[in-house]
Amino acid sequence: MNKNTTDTFHPMQLKISQADIGYEEILISGADAQLQSGEVCLLIGNNGVGKTTLIRSVLYQIPLLRGMITLGKKDVQELSVKEIAEHIAVVFSKSAIPQNYTVTDLVSLGKYIHYPFYFELSQEDKKEVRETIEDLGLQQYDTTLLKNLSDGNLQKAFIGRALTQNSPVIILDEPTTHLDEKNKIIILKTLRKLARENHKLILFSSHDWRLAKEFADKIWYIKDRKLHAGMVEDVLIQHHELTDPSMFNVNEHFKAPHITASPVHKEMLYSLLQKNSTADLSHLSFEFRDNRWNIDVKGSLYQCESFEEILSLVKTFH
């Protein structure tokens, strides 16, 4: 990916200062956060908390109720639509599909931000378009009409358009929504590579935070009308609901046992038990050790080697 080499690199900063974000009503109050070139930031929060509104505020599609957002050294409200487009490439989760466009046509559109539409792309531009299509694993669809693509490949094509735009900032709203695990990783690896090698500042929202956190440097977490911003690990440690299995509590009658295990095993067991039991299991203790589960039921000890065995045992307690 030969984009924006270091000799043409100009550092970019996105900064939010004491911002109230929303429409008539404040969704996020007193937000302070900043990102630099080379950083990947994951934007997370429940539906309706203001993730897309925050993104649209950065693009100055929605004015702030208070405070300031700066891009470089300029307030975004002082930038023209063209200047914002030159600085920021954006992919929304729902985008209009241009009629009769192929994958190559769409990815090439990213170059036209730099030219009038009647200009011919240079050979270097065309080479970059081909490389982007290959990086995203879309080469077999390069001449396919967009309307004939799967949702996942269509999303990748829109991301390809943003990448070829060569803007210093890339913002993506739920870019991995329609993708399977393999393609999510392709996208996230591509974004991280762009940040590291091409000094891009990348902000993307996602519900797949477990996977996404492996590729992000920073997190912006919206909760209780506040924006909690910082290093991924710091934010996760400060907000236990993001890593605690109880965040997935969908059974209000479930009373959990004590579980001693790695986070993955603990979460799998928690999920299994709450899906399949309405009994009070708070008197049970589960410990995963030496590849087996040791279960203490009021002093009686049991051992299970699989979740299937655990489920059979728990059913006898009902």
Side-chain angles (χ1 to χ4, degrees):
M1 228 180 248
N2 183 26
K3 303 177 178 71
N4 281 21
T5 55
T6 51
D7 57 347
T8 59
F9 167 59
H10 299 287
M12 177 61 68
Q13 181 188 70
L14 173 63
K15 187 173 183 180
I16 301 176
S17 304
Q18 283 297 295
D20 288 348
I21 296 168
Y23 295 91
E24 296 174 357
E25 174 186 338
I26 296 174
L27 291 174
I28 306 168
S29 175
D32 284 300
Q34 66 179 49
L35 299 173
Q36 311 283 346
S37 298
E39 291 183 333
V40 180
C41 180
L42 168 63
L43 173 61
I44 55 174
N46 293 332
N47 287 334
V49 296
K51 296 191 297 295
T52 300
T53 304
L54 185 152
I55 288 173
R56 292 192 180 277
S57 297
V58 169
L59 299 170
Y60 197 55
Q61 295 175 353
I62 300 171
L64 293 177
L65 300 176
R66 182 176 71 95
M68 181 185 296
I69 296 177
T70 55
L71 190 60
K73 295 180 180 180
K74 286 189 174 182
D75 189 329
V76 293
Q77 65 181 351
E78 296 174 359
L79 298 174
S80 67
V81 172
K82 186 175 188 298
E83 284 177 312
I84 288 177
E86 288 172 348
H87 284 89
I88 304 175
V90 62
V91 179
F92 284 108
S93 54
K94 294 180 181 177
S95 302
I97 302 172
Q99 289 299 308
N100 302 316
Y101 269 46
T102 65
V103 167
T104 298
D105 293 333
L106 180 62
V107 176
S108 298
L109 266 185
K111 306 306 301 177
Y112 283 106
I113 191 69
H114 308 289
Y115 303 116
F117 268 91
Y118 52 79
F119 267 59
E120 185 76 24
L121 293 186
S122 69
Q123 288 304 310
E124 184 63 28
D125 289 333
K126 291 177 180 178
K127 178 174 179 286
E128 188 178 319
V129 167
R130 286 197 304 274
E131 288 177 351
T132 300
I133 288 172
E134 289 171 6
D135 286 339
L136 294 172
L138 289 173
Q139 57 269 34
Q140 70 191 90
Y141 304 107
D142 56 356
T143 59
T144 302
L145 291 174
L146 300 177
K147 63 185 179 183
N148 295 331
L149 291 176
S150 67
D151 285 345
N153 284 325
L154 180 61
Q155 182 76 332
K156 286 165 72 178
F158 274 108
I159 291 169
R161 182 190 66 179
L163 300 186
T164 58
Q165 192 169 315
N166 279 354
S167 301
V169 179
I170 303 174
I171 297 179
L172 308 102
D173 189 17
E174 299 284 356
T176 59
T177 297
H178 301 294
L179 304 180
D180 58 25
E181 208 78 347
K182 177 184 175 183
N183 282 310
K184 286 176 186 176
I185 291 174
I186 287 174
I187 293 300
L188 295 171
K189 279 186 174 179
T190 299
L191 295 178
R192 185 141 193 95
K193 184 178 179 183
L194 280 166
R196 286 291 183 266
E197 297 181 8
N198 302 104
H199 313 290
K200 303 293 187 184
L201 187 164
I202 297 174
L203 172 65
F204 72 104
S205 62
S206 177
H207 282 96
D208 300 305
W209 71 269
R210 277 174 173 68
L211 180 62
K213 75 179 174 64
E214 303 301 329
F215 299 88
D217 304 293
K218 302 279 185 70
I219 280 184
W220 288 2
Y221 174 38
I222 304 172
K223 173 192 172 188
D224 298 332
R225 299 208 309 173
K226 295 293 182 184
L227 179 62
H228 304 273
M231 295 292 294
V232 167
E233 293 74 15
D234 287 332
V235 174
L236 292 180
I237 290 297
Q238 291 163 11
H239 299 276
H240 297 294
E241 72 275 8
L242 292 175
T243 53
D244 191 333
S246 65
M247 72 176 290
F248 299 108
N249 191 353
V250 294
N251 180 353
E252 61 184 16
H253 303 294
F254 180 61
K255 294 186 179 178
H258 177 74
I259 303 172
T260 303
S262 70
V264 172
H265 284 87
K266 182 176 181 179
E267 188 163 333
M268 292 303 105
L269 179 60
Y270 188 100
S271 174
L272 173 84
L273 295 177
Q274 76 156 340
K275 281 189 298 187
N276 293 282
S277 180
T278 55
D280 181 351
L281 303 181
S282 59
H283 61 288
L284 307 185
S285 292
F286 289 78
E287 181 184 19
F288 188 70
R289 188 174 58 198
D290 299 328
N291 289 322
R292 65 180 63 188
W293 288 95
N294 299 297
I295 304 144
D296 185 326
V297 185
K298 294 181 178 178
S300 298
L301 299 179
Y302 301 84
Q303 285 191 334
C304 295
E305 295 187 353
S306 70
F307 287 111
E308 187 171 358
E309 289 182 12
I310 290 173
L311 186 57
S312 296
L313 175 65
V314 168
K315 284 181 178 178
T316 66
F317 303 149
H318 285 207

